[in-house]
Amino acid sequence: MKTSVVIIGGGPSGLLLSQLLHLSGIETVVLERRSRAYVLSRIRAGVLERGTQDLLDRAEVGTRMHGEGQVHDGFNLSFGDSLHRIDLARLRDQSVMVYGQTEVTKDLYEARDRLGGSILHEVEDAAPYAMTTSNPFVIYRHNGQDHRLNCDFIIGCDGFHGVSRKSIPAAQRREFEREYPFGWLGVLSETKPAAEELIYAAHDDGFALCSMRNAQLSRYYIQCKADEDISTWSDDRFWSTLKSRLPRDIADEIVTGPSIEKSIAPLRSYVCETMRYGRLLLAGDAAHIVPPTGAKGLNLAASDVHYLSEALIAWYRDRRADLIDGYEARALARVWKCERFSWWMTSLLHRFPKSTPFETRMQRAELEYIVSSQAAQTSLAENYVGLPY
Ligand code: APR
Ligand code: PHB
């Protein structure tokens, strides 16, 4: 069998790329390891930059986002029992869209189905071959049958634990990593959110985040140990810990309820600069990971997909190789800036177990500087709403 572009991974990156290429007449096949239900069961951040919103519109999947998403003109930092609003609209004349990643993925699946896109689920052992030739192919098993799919390009959209990046010889991979000494314990509850906009809370006991999916669905996180045992976290313990890290007047208004999802996520910064290896190209979490503090994961995947879709369209339309050749450098220029912002937000807001008293004072001084400086808030806002593509 032959197609133009094989995409390994049916998450946001793979689906968005598949949709954009389809709209430009380029045939793709998406190979997804999990069932669709499993992919759609994942709970992930959904703070969409303007660039991501525009790309979803170009992919003709923005209707429900504009109808059901919440436009946020600002967000809050809290420390020392006070709340400080970062006014994105005033500082950068921009806003962000709060719309769960699960919904984005659902919209993409529906659009692919509508256009007759080829997505195979529960694909086993997909593996790229002949990547350094002009005739690469993917071998995989589906419904008990082994298959070979010849193509022009293989795109690794298979996330941090996927096969694509690991198919690049280790000696060729330029990798950079920072693991953080803590994790996030997240809870989803069918309760009214703590506030109309997000609250990022720094506290001596640890970080907390108040977010939401809609007016009756709240998403909360508290910093926890990297090796935390989730079985020791009852809902009551979660709620009391969350409240203890928020300003009193906010904590007193928190509507608690049973958790409908509770999970722990590790925090990591990671970049594989080798985003291209011959006819294999990586996009999204397959190439880089950011700690969720800056809500950049999905937005970075979107900018990768933007650059990659432009490059592939130029190849198929005009047999131009320059954008393919320039993809890695172009994507990395934005990847590293977003990695820096996510690392900076994480370093600013979390309690590091081995912090010295001086370092703790530096964190507080930086927070005090931000809330007292228009210039500092403008820089924070510029990164939060999304740096240009
Ligand atoms: N073969 C086929 N599919 C695979 C394989 C494999 N070997 N390994 C992983 N996958 C699939 C996963 O099941 C998942 O559906 O690839 C998909 C990767 O999706 P994500 O991990 O969501 O990564 P990406 O699409 O780049 O989206 C980035 O989504 O998960 C969040 O934090 C992430 O916000 C970021 C954004
Ligand atoms: C979320 O709503 O899950 C969320 C929001 C903002 C973040 C991280 C997660 O920075």
Side-chain angles (χ1 to χ4, degrees), residues 150-168:
N150 298 316
C151 55
D152 302 319
F153 294 95
I154 303 169
I155 313 299
C157 293
D158 46 350
F160 185 66
H161 301 290
V163 65
S164 301
R165 185 181 71 252
K166 296 163 189 166
S167 301
I168 300 172

Side-chain angles (χ1 to χ4, degrees), residues 66-280:
H66 292 296
E68 298 178 17
Q70 300 170 358
V71 176
H72 283 205
D73 290 331
F75 68 92
N76 301 282
L77 295 175
S78 90
F79 59 95
D81 207 40
S82 302
L83 208 58
H84 306 272
R85 185 166 186 266
I86 304 299
D87 188 339
L88 302 173
R90 179 177 62 80
L91 292 160
R92 294 297 296 169
D93 191 22
Q94 285 194 52
S95 58
V96 292
M97 175 77 77
V98 173
Y99 184 65
Q101 178 175 306
T102 307
E103 305 315 311
V104 172
T105 310
K106 208 179 284 180
D107 294 341
L108 283 164
Y109 268 119
E110 284 168 6
R112 298 305 300 122
D113 291 347
R114 211 165 35 244
L115 293 181
S118 176
I119 303 174
L120 302 185
H121 284 281
E122 296 178 303
V123 167
E124 297 173 80
D125 302 334
Y129 288 92
M131 294 162 275
T132 57
T133 74
S134 55
N135 301 293
F137 59 94
V138 174
I139 300 285
Y140 64 93
R141 190 162 51 254
H142 190 237
N143 293 335
Q145 296 285 318
D146 290 334
H147 298 271
R148 166 173 169 149
L149 191 48
N150 298 316
C151 55
D152 302 319
F153 294 95
I154 303 169
I155 313 299
C157 293
D158 46 350
F160 185 66
H161 301 290
V163 65
S164 301
R165 185 181 71 252
K166 296 163 189 166
S167 301
I168 300 172
Q172 304 285 329
R173 295 199 304 257
R174 305 188 309 278
E175 297 179 285
F176 305 80
E177 184 163 20
R178 159 85 195 263
E179 289 195 11
Y180 297 89
F182 39 73
W184 278 17
L185 169 56
V187 156
L188 198 62
S189 64
E190 290 172 328
T191 54
K192 176 174 168 291
E196 293 201 348
E197 295 174 331
L198 274 64
I199 300 173
Y200 293 79
H203 188 276
D204 290 346
D205 296 342
F207 171 78
L209 172 59
C210 303
S211 183
M212 72 287 289
R213 294 290 177 267
N214 59 50
Q216 285 309 316
L217 193 57
S218 298
R219 181 64 170 170
Y220 293 105
Y221 300 94
I222 56 172
Q223 174 184 341
C224 64
K225 295 197 306 289
D227 59 354
E228 192 68 65
D229 176 0
I230 198 166
S231 67
T232 66
W233 282 88
S234 66
D235 286 359
D236 287 348
R237 183 186 177 196
F238 178 85
W239 292 119
S240 62
T241 304
L242 172 75
K243 290 180 178 182
S244 71
R245 297 181 183 178
L246 296 170
R248 173 56 47 215
D249 58 337
I250 298 288
D252 290 347
E253 297 300 314
I254 293 267
V255 177
T256 64
S259 59
I260 58 173
E261 193 272 347
K262 191 187 290 177
S263 54
I264 290 176
L267 269 67
R268 169 188 288 115
S269 297
Y270 170 84
V271 177
C272 174
E273 287 194 334
T274 317
M275 293 180 71
R276 181 202 181 176
Y277 181 65
R279 290 294 182 95
L280 171 69

Side-chain angles (χ1 to χ4, degrees), residues 41-75:
S41 69
R42 293 185 186 123
I43 306 291
R44 291 276 164 68
V47 177
L48 308 185
E49 299 172 349
R50 160 60 59 201
T52 304
Q53 297 169 52
D54 292 347
L55 197 60
L56 292 172
D57 284 336
R58 287 213 304 279
E60 300 178 4
V61 296
T63 303
R64 198 160 70 94
M65 170 186 67
H66 292 296
E68 298 178 17
Q70 300 170 358
V71 176
H72 283 205
D73 290 331
F75 68 92

